[in-house]
Amino acid sequence: MAFPSVETLTTIVDPIAASHHMDVEEIKINRAGSKTVVAVALDSDNRPDLDTLEVVSGEISEAFDGAEDSGVIAFGGQGYTLEVSTPGVDHPLTLPRHWRRNRGRLVTWDDGGTKRTGRIGALNDSETEVVLISREGKNMCVDVRKVAEIGQAVVEIEFATVPADEKAVADEDFNIAAERREEHK
């Protein structure tokens, strides 16, 4: 029996995550000698807390143990260490749900070879476009971008208070915020 692949583990983890209204963002397997670490990153619209992650971790561990006992997977007889967490701020925003879950946060993205920084606003109903609020000097700029066309993007850690005008636009409905694009050109 082969060592489990990410795909095999994902088929075990997905239903457990779904039962808690979570998405599997990433599974990593790190084999270092006789030790194996399986790191599972989960996220949801409700930002899972530590208590929830502990419950889900227990369920995943039970499922892995059951799959190993039944011969579906094998961790090489050495066991494994399971780490369950959220993706963290350095996880790239690649899917519409990442943008939706980080609404109001500061993000840096690649804009055709130029790094830009702005605040995430609302997504349209089909989650194909997002409002981005940025600054040019003291002027606030409101833009609408296709999510699929935004280059590499990551959330920035922000210690300052969010400017009130940016927060107001980030909290607005997509259509209302998109209308501001013309006001702030």
Side-chain angles (χ1 to χ4, degrees):
M1 170 177 4
F3 192 81
S5 66
V6 169
E7 293 77 20
T8 301
L9 295 181
T10 300
T11 63
I12 296 170
V13 174
D14 260 341
I16 296 167
S19 74
H20 292 275
H21 308 288
M22 294 182 177
D23 298 299
V24 177
E25 293 295 343
E26 186 174 46
I27 295 179
K28 290 183 181 178
I29 304 169
N30 184 11
R31 293 178 71 179
S34 63
K35 298 200 183 252
T36 298
V37 176
V38 179
V40 178
L42 304 172
D43 204 1
S44 74
D45 288 349
N46 298 327
R47 305 238 189 240
D49 60 22
L50 292 175
D51 292 335
T52 303
L53 290 174
E54 182 178 0
V55 168
V56 174
S57 178
E59 291 178 20
I60 293 170
S61 181
E62 286 177 22
F64 283 0
D65 292 348
E68 196 167 28
D69 290 345
S70 66
V72 173
I73 61 174
F75 287 103
Q78 301 297 320
Y80 64 93
T81 299
L82 176 63
E83 298 175 353
V84 177
S85 65
T86 57
V89 294
D90 60 343
H91 187 74
L93 306 181
T94 57
L95 300 171
R97 69 176 182 243
H98 300 153
W99 292 89
R100 181 182 67 245
R101 290 174 180 164
N102 286 287
R103 183 175 178 177
R105 297 187 77 180
L106 203 59
V107 64
T108 298
W109 72 94
D110 180 20
D111 188 20
T114 303
K115 287 283 186 200
R116 301 229 14 231
T117 301
R119 190 160 311 283
I120 302 171
L123 275 82
N124 63 354
D125 290 339
S126 60
E127 295 193 337
T128 57
E129 296 180 311
V130 63
V131 172
L132 293 169
I133 305 118
S134 59
R135 295 270 176 195
E136 289 184 15
K138 293 183 179 183
N139 298 324
M140 182 175 65
C141 302
V142 179
D143 195 10
V144 174
R145 297 291 184 97
K146 292 193 181 305
V147 172
E149 295 175 1
I150 298 173
Q152 178 76 20
V154 293
V155 170
E156 293 292 320
I157 296 173
E158 186 174 24
F159 297 104
T161 302
V162 177
D165 57 347
E166 289 181 22
K167 180 174 180 356
V169 175
D171 289 344
E172 288 178 341
D173 174 79
F174 176 84
N175 294 320
I176 293 169
E179 288 176 17
R180 289 181 177 272
R181 167 179 47 185
E182 295 304 318
E183 297 171 25
H184 294 283
K185 279 192 170 181

